[in-house]
């Protein structure tokens, strides 16, 4: 039953539609991250300003090769310490990532969610999924399918997985050269990041 629902949702993503799906943090409003027309629908439905970049969700580490420019072994090692989990890593983007995803920035935020349905959806869709929280811009992030339906009644499909586990948005860090910056606090703390960073990295919590 569930299997079929995820397959159906993946078909919607493949054909350029929008699917709301659970992650461990909040429900996301997802589209094929490599299809700029599909991603544009996210901004439209959320009434989100296009200068606010989206986080791209992946289900395997190899997608770092597709989405980012020459990721180092250190980046993979760091990602493997926290993924799947509520950490978004902002890295220099590859040419494959449409500008609309990153609001024209040369960097892209990426994370691997710790939710089986989310991971299966991404895998079956066969593409990374760009997804902000599934609410109208400026409103509370939804932690269950009912909240999503109320805010975004026109979404093509909602994958229902009950209440999310964390309810707080992911921690965001950026890494450029060997400098790691804390961009948004979350369940994963600055100390957790500092402890996990390779020795040759500099940490900045400004
Ligand atoms: P959310 O609204 O939880 O999906 O998170 C999106 C937020 O992630 C944005 O508002 C930015 O603060 C941050 N973000 C995403 N991509 C980038 C990026 N390339 N550079 C810096 N911050 C980013
Ligand atoms: Mg949000």
């Amino acid at each position: 039953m569930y299997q079929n629902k995820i397959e159906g949702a993946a078909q919607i993503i493949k054909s350029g539609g929008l699917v709301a799906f659970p992650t461990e943090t909040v429900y996301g409003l997802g589209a094929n991250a490599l299809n700029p027309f599909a991603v544009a629908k996210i901004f439209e439905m959320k009434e989100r300003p296009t200068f606010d970049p989206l986080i791209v969700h992946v289900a395997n580490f190899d997608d770092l090769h597709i989405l980012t420019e020459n990721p180092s072994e250190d980046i993979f090692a760091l990602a493997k310490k926290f993924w799947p989990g509520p950490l978004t890593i902002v890295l220099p983007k590859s040419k494959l990532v449409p500008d609309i995803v990153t609001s024209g920035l040369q960097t892209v935020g990426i994370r691997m969610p710790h939710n089986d349905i989310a991971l299966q959806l991404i895998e079956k869709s066969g593409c990374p999924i760009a997804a902000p929280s599934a609410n109208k811009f400026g409103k509370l992030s939804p932690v269950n399918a009912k909240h999503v339906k109320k805010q975004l009644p026109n979404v093509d499909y909602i994958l229902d997985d009950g209440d999310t586990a964390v309810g707080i948005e992911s921690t965001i860090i950026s890494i450029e050269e060997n400098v790691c910056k804390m961009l948004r606090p979350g369940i994963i703390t600055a100390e957790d990041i500092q402890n996990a960073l390779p020795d040759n990295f500099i940490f900045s919590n400004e």
Side-chain angles (χ1 to χ4, degrees):
M1 181 72 166
Y2 237 162
Q3 211 60 14
N4 292 342
K5 289 186 176 174
I6 299 173
E7 296 275 357
Q11 284 307 321
I12 294 172
I13 295 284
K14 280 185 187 177
S15 59
L18 300 185
V19 172
F21 65 97
T23 75
E24 79 277 38
T25 60
V26 300
Y27 274 71
L29 178 64
N32 177 352
L34 305 179
N35 176 344
F37 301 101
V39 173
K41 294 182 193 167
I42 294 179
F43 286 95
E44 211 173 298
M45 184 170 287
K46 271 186 68 91
E47 295 164 18
R48 180 180 174 107
T50 49
F51 57 74
D52 197 357
L54 305 182
I55 292 170
V56 177
H57 295 69
V58 300
N60 63 71
F61 291 91
D62 273 350
D63 277 357
L64 279 172
H65 287 298
I66 294 171
L67 298 170
T68 72
E69 210 53 57
N70 301 322
S72 66
E73 283 306 316
D74 283 337
I75 299 290
F76 280 91
L78 183 66
K80 280 179 180 162
K81 287 189 179 162
F82 294 99
W83 290 355
L87 177 70
T88 297
I89 308 178
V90 173
L91 294 163
K93 84 172 192 75
S94 75
K95 289 191 179 67
L96 281 178
V97 181
D99 284 340
I100 189 168
V101 172
T102 66
S103 302
L105 295 172
Q106 290 310 305
T107 53
V108 58
I110 306 171
R111 89 177 189 97
M112 188 186 291
H114 189 64
N115 176 291
D116 205 41
I117 292 176
L119 293 173
Q120 284 188 53
L121 174 67
I122 300 164
E123 255 164 30
K124 289 183 197 297
S125 299
C127 60
I129 294 185
S133 51
N135 52 274
K136 291 273 187 198
F137 184 70
K139 301 283 184 200
L140 268 187
S141 299
V143 293
N144 60 47
K146 216 172 113 189
H147 289 172
V148 176
K149 185 79 190 160
K150 206 167 160 192
Q151 296 216 35
L152 307 176
N154 295 327
V155 65
D156 294 317
Y157 194 73
I158 303 174
L159 277 168
D160 189 350
D161 187 34
D163 288 342
T164 61
V166 179
I168 300 172
E169 265 101 348
S170 61
T171 301
I172 305 181
I173 59 171
S174 71
I175 296 181
E176 247 169 305
E177 304 291 329
N178 280 7
V179 179
C180 172
K181 288 188 185 156
M182 196 79 184
L183 300 186
R184 178 170 81 183
I187 297 280
I188 292 171
T189 64
E191 201 184 347
D192 296 334
I193 302 289
Q194 258 169 309
N195 290 337
L197 276 184
D199 288 342
N200 55 330
F201 275 52
I202 297 161
F203 183 77
S204 152
N205 192 8
E206 51 190 39

